[in-house]
Amino acid sequence: MTDAAAASQPPEESRFHAFRQAEDLVGRRRPLDALKALQPLLESEEDKPSVHLLAGRAYFHSAQLRRAEQAFTRVLELDPTDHYARFILGRTLQRLGRFVEALAQMRMASAMNPVPEYLEAISEVKAHIALREL
C-alpha cells in the first residue's frame, strides 16, 4: 500500500496498517524502519500496551536499551500481567548489566508462564551473578 493510499484510509485503518507494517519490519530485522512506522502510533495510542511492546522490541533489536526499558516499563504500567513484557524487560536489563533487576523480572515472568525459554534465561542470569560474586 502506498503512502497516499494509507493517507486516504480512515484513521483507525491507517493506524492498524502502520502497526502491522511495523510488526513486519521488526520480524524482518529492520527495527529502525519499524520505529519510523510506529512513531505516529506512539503519539496517538499512548495507552495501548501492544504499541509500546512493539516499540520496545524495535528499540531492543536496535540496541537502544534505555528506550527499550522505558517502553517495556510502560507496557507493565498498563498491563502488569504481561509475562512477555516482563521477560523481555529482564533481557533488556541483562544487556544493560543490571543482573539482579533482570533476574527479578524473569522470575516473575516465569511464575506467570513457566516456559523453557524463561527458565533458561533465569539460569543464565544466575550464572552471571554468581561469576560477579567470585
Side-chain angles (χ1 to χ4, degrees):
M1 180 179 300
T2 66
D3 289 338
S8 68
Q9 293 178 343
E12 191 170 311
E13 256 184 72
S14 180
R15 290 191 303 263
F16 178 78
H17 173 72
F19 183 85
R20 290 295 178 214
Q21 180 184 24
E23 197 172 47
D24 178 61
L25 289 165
V26 168
R28 291 189 294 141
R29 300 281 186 205
R30 294 177 52 195
L32 297 177
D33 292 331
L35 288 166
K36 285 179 190 171
L38 271 178
Q39 193 56 48
L41 292 174
L42 287 168
E43 294 166 5
S44 68
E45 305 284 334
E46 63 186 46
D47 291 336
K48 298 275 185 174
S50 59
V51 172
H52 292 283
L53 184 63
L54 186 55
R57 290 175 53 209
Y59 288 131
F60 181 84
H61 290 300
S62 62
Q64 297 180 61
L65 301 177
R66 300 267 184 231
R67 287 183 173 175
E69 178 185 5
Q70 291 170 346
F72 298 133
T73 299
R74 179 67 177 140
V75 172
L76 293 171
E77 288 170 358
L78 296 167
D79 180 7
T81 66
D82 188 324
H83 63 86
Y84 180 72
R86 286 201 183 278
F87 172 71
I88 197 71
L89 174 58
R91 280 292 195 198
T92 302
L93 295 168
Q94 178 184 8
R95 284 181 67 185
L96 287 167
R98 294 162 47 193
F99 296 107
V100 173
E101 292 172 78
L103 184 59
Q105 292 298 327
M106 290 177 176
R107 282 181 169 159
M108 282 189 273
S110 180
M112 293 177 196
N113 187 27
V115 295
E117 181 182 8
Y118 294 2
L119 299 171
E120 290 169 18
I122 288 170
S123 295
E124 187 179 310
V125 171
K126 283 176 153 179
H128 279 284
I129 291 170
L131 285 173
R132 286 183 147 197
E133 293 176 355
L134 291 178

